[in-house]
Amino acid sequence: MTWPRFIRLELKRNGIADLFYDAAATSFPRDFKYHSIGALALLLLIVCQPAAAQNTTSEEKPIYVSEIQSRDWFQSLPITSMTLPVGRWLLYNPQNSINAYNLSLTSRSCLKIDFCGYGALALEKSQFTKSISHAPGQLPLEEVIALNSSGWFLTGHTEDLNGKRVIVLEGHDKERNLDLYRLEFNHNPDKSGVCIPATLTFTAPPSEYRQHIMGFKTALKTIRWIENVGIDPSKE
């Protein structure tokens, strides 16, 4: 079977897969394993669409977004509200499925905010589980590297953001020449006992990143997290 050329799938060491768009990809790695029904459903939702639906065309109308509210395309997110950085943010081809989501907002054609969740329970001995349990503070380099096998991130720390413990990773993707600022956190409330890793990532070329990273950090401070369990694979 020939897979769409715009999909590349990179596996993280903690068992959670990151999806990236890559024109060079032609197939999935042989050792790829589905970690949850939600992850499989999201993957099939993306790769099984007709080619015309996968590519943005002049006939498609993007959705203009000024803030995140828990409705419409954003009702799957672990966020009830969030004010976006200043600018015209557009949502193209949002992908939602059972317990999973992959939403990208774009501004100025080069700034991106990605919300990703794959509906998989965190493994008890995964690096994510170990790191998210740390008190706020700097993470050792070996932990940062273990959190993400891409090699992008070389610095990281844990902090409390509006009542939620998050892992903050900062780095650079040399292949695409993009700087990244990523949050990793439990999709569900921290004390729920159901840990579902999720990410929120800001990416931009270095010059644009320096201009807009403070606006993104300010936007993060407006986040209101969900107060109830939003994803529980054990109830599927």
Side-chain angles (χ1 to χ4, degrees), residues 217-235:
K217 291 181 178 180
T218 298
L220 292 178
K221 295 178 181 179
T222 70
I223 290 178
R224 291 187 179 182
W225 304 99
I226 58 174
E227 298 180 354
N228 300 308
V229 173
I231 297 177
D232 187 351
S234 68
K235 296 182 178 180

Side-chain angles (χ1 to χ4, degrees), residues 20 38 53 81 89 93 99 110 118 123 129-130 173 199 202 216:
F20 299 98
S81 66
W89 291 94
N93 284 339
N99 290 350
C110 62
Y118 301 98
L123 301 177
T129 302
K130 295 176 182 177
D173 177 356
T199 64
F202 174 73
F216 177 67

Side-chain angles (χ1 to χ4, degrees), residues 95-124:
Q95 306 290 343
N96 285 328
S97 67
I98 302 173
N99 290 350
Y101 49 87
N102 184 23
L103 303 176
S104 294
L105 297 172
T106 303
S107 179
R108 298 162 58 91
S109 76
C110 62
L111 307 179
K112 284 190 66 179
I113 297 176
D114 295 301
F115 300 85
C116 295
Y118 301 98
L121 283 168
L123 301 177
E124 185 177 351

Side-chain angles (χ1 to χ4, degrees), residues 118-182:
Y118 301 98
L121 283 168
L123 301 177
E124 185 177 351
K125 296 183 179 181
S126 70
Q127 188 59 58
F128 172 82
T129 302
K130 295 176 182 177
S131 296
I132 201 70
S133 65
H134 292 333
Q138 200 69 24
L139 292 175
L141 177 59
E142 57 269 23
E143 282 197 31
V144 174
I145 295 175
L147 277 166
N148 192 282
S149 60
S150 65
W152 296 338
F153 303 104
L154 295 177
T155 181
H157 66 274
T158 55
E159 66 177 61
D160 289 330
L161 178 63
N162 299 339
K164 176 176 282 294
R165 182 64 49 80
V166 300
I167 300 169
V168 179
L169 301 173
E170 298 180 73
H172 180 75
D173 177 356
K174 293 182 180 179
E175 182 179 345
R176 298 183 295 168
N177 190 32
L178 296 173
D179 285 346
L180 303 93
Y181 187 94
R182 171 173 292 178

Side-chain angles (χ1 to χ4, degrees), residues 6-146:
F6 71 94
I7 296 293
R8 182 181 72 198
L9 205 144
E10 179 167 327
L11 300 181
K12 295 172 66 176
R13 295 183 184 181
N14 63 3
I16 305 301
D18 269 341
L19 289 172
F20 299 98
Y21 300 105
D22 190 333
T26 57
S27 63
F28 288 105
R30 294 181 179 179
D31 59 349
F32 172 68
K33 296 180 180 180
Y34 302 111
H35 293 279
S36 75
I37 293 176
L40 174 58
L42 177 61
L43 186 58
L44 292 177
L45 179 66
I46 295 174
V47 302
C48 293
Q49 294 183 80
Q54 292 168 351
N55 297 300
T56 301
T57 68
S58 59
E59 296 179 357
E60 292 179 345
K61 294 183 179 180
I63 304 168
Y64 170 66
V65 181
S66 60
E67 62 179 352
I68 304 296
Q69 294 289 336
S70 186
R71 61 175 183 267
D72 301 325
W73 290 110
F74 303 112
Q75 60 186 350
S76 299
L77 299 183
I79 295 170
T80 61
S81 66
M82 174 185 175
T83 300
L84 294 174
V86 175
R88 183 175 178 83
W89 291 94
L90 301 175
L91 175 65
Y92 290 93
N93 284 339
Q95 306 290 343
N96 285 328
S97 67
I98 302 173
N99 290 350
Y101 49 87
N102 184 23
L103 303 176
S104 294
L105 297 172
T106 303
S107 179
R108 298 162 58 91
S109 76
C110 62
L111 307 179
K112 284 190 66 179
I113 297 176
D114 295 301
F115 300 85
C116 295
Y118 301 98
L121 283 168
L123 301 177
E124 185 177 351
K125 296 183 179 181
S126 70
Q127 188 59 58
F128 172 82
T129 302
K130 295 176 182 177
S131 296
I132 201 70
S133 65
H134 292 333
Q138 200 69 24
L139 292 175
L141 177 59
E142 57 269 23
E143 282 197 31
V144 174
I145 295 175

